[in-house]
Amino acid sequence: MCGIAGIFDLDGESPLDRGLVQRMNDTLVHRGPDGDGIFLDPGVALAHRRLAIIDPEGGVQPFASDDGNIQLTFNGEIYNFAELREELEQAGHTFHTHSDTEVIVHAWMEWDAACVERFNGMFALGIWDRNQKVLFLARDRLGIKPLHYAITRDRKLVFGSELKALLAHPGVDRELDQRSIRDFFSLGYVPDPRSIFAKVHKLSPGHLLRIKRGGDLTPRKYWDVEPTEGLHGLSD
């Protein structure tokens, strides 16, 4: 279990407060006691709390491509990373670690948003692509790893593994969602994509967000359970 968080300025490239990003990251220390990291670009911040499992020395995050133009913060595990690495090496990619984290970076470079369709695993991730000026968020097919996001009053998109990371940002609206409150007391949880706060959302399982300044902020489904033809009920 690791923790991720970040901020993206939807309207420009204003400098972001490193101290604020650190406070967001500090709320997730229980998710990653083995280290932390922060990346800052104009209008972009990524943060990470790490629980080191695969390649403890080589998987430090946020993880950068060789040229520094791709930055990744990632929570989870990609079970088929060895197979993907072999395929990417055949396509000309060079690796310097034995981590699934580095495989994600190269998969993005090779397949862009379609890379998540190739991942077999549990994950929540944020990628900043400096060349394309794109922030990419994605969550695994079954939603095993959590990912919350919100748009602040000053037009910053903030995201994190837990609500507390978002609430460390003073611009996040804390108005409660009455429907979510009713759902919590009747179901014991708040169904995706809503949260207990009206302006904070959960990225639904099998969904992604590919965000550019001035672009669409609607999550897109990349996977769903396909109905099986000829499946019969127990009563048949």
Side-chain angles (χ1 to χ4, degrees):
M1 181 173 68
C2 297
I4 69 173
I7 306 174
F8 181 67
D9 185 351
L10 292 169
D11 294 331
E13 297 184 346
S14 60
L16 299 178
D17 182 351
R18 184 183 183 92
L20 172 58
V21 180
Q22 186 66 61
R23 290 192 294 276
M24 292 174 64
N25 206 28
D26 287 345
T27 67
L28 303 172
V29 64
H30 58 286
R31 299 183 66 92
D34 296 329
D36 71 330
I38 290 176
F39 166 81
L40 290 174
D41 238 4
V44 181
L46 301 180
H48 188 262
R49 290 292 326 186
R50 188 178 188 214
L51 177 66
I53 297 176
I54 297 177
D55 193 0
E57 298 300 323
V60 176
Q61 298 185 47
F63 191 97
S65 59
D66 287 346
D67 60 8
N69 287 322
I70 311 297
Q71 298 281 340
L72 166 70
T73 184
F74 156 64
N75 169 33
E77 184 176 351
I78 306 302
Y79 305 137
N80 63 331
F81 80 95
E83 294 87 345
L84 291 174
R85 173 175 172 148
E86 182 177 349
E87 183 177 354
L88 288 162
E89 285 176 330
Q90 291 174 356
H93 293 258
T94 301
F95 290 82
H96 306 289
T97 74
H98 300 286
S99 68
D100 53 351
T101 304
E102 187 178 13
V103 169
I104 294 173
V105 169
H106 286 272
W108 169 264
M109 294 166 64
E110 183 70 20
W111 299 304
D112 202 90
C115 66
V116 294
E117 299 174 16
R118 294 172 173 262
F119 296 157
N120 174 14
M122 52 180 181
F123 57 86
L125 58 84
I127 294 174
W128 166 238
D129 188 319
R130 184 184 290 155
N131 293 326
Q132 299 189 64
K133 302 292 185 183
V134 164
L135 176 70
F136 179 72
L137 304 177
R139 192 175 177 200
D140 64 73
R141 291 167 174 80
L142 300 181
I144 298 171
K145 294 300 181 181
L147 188 58
H148 299 76
Y149 69 97
I151 298 173
T152 66
R153 291 184 288 271
D154 60 348
R155 296 276 299 161
K156 305 293 192 299
L157 185 143
V158 297
F159 68 91
S161 296
E162 297 183 15
L163 280 171
K164 62 180 67 176
L166 276 65
L167 296 179
H169 193 297
V172 172
D173 194 311
R174 288 155 170 77
E175 177 189 356
L176 294 175
D177 186 306
Q178 297 303 314
R179 178 183 172 187
S180 294
I181 293 172
R182 292 193 298 269
D183 283 346
F184 179 79
F185 282 107
S186 61
L187 302 174
Y189 71 102
V190 178
D192 297 336
R194 290 179 290 108
S195 80
I196 201 69
F197 297 102
K199 300 296 178 62
V200 178
H201 312 283
K202 289 177 280 189
L203 188 61
S204 295
H207 280 67
L208 59 82
L209 269 169
R210 194 177 193 279
I211 307 160
K212 296 192 74 168
R213 294 183 175 99
D216 188 16
L217 297 177
T218 304
R220 179 171 68 83
K221 182 189 298 182
Y222 70 87
W223 181 86
D224 200 356
V225 176
E226 295 292 337
T228 302
E229 187 175 345
L231 185 67
H232 299 291
L234 294 177
S235 61
D236 292 345

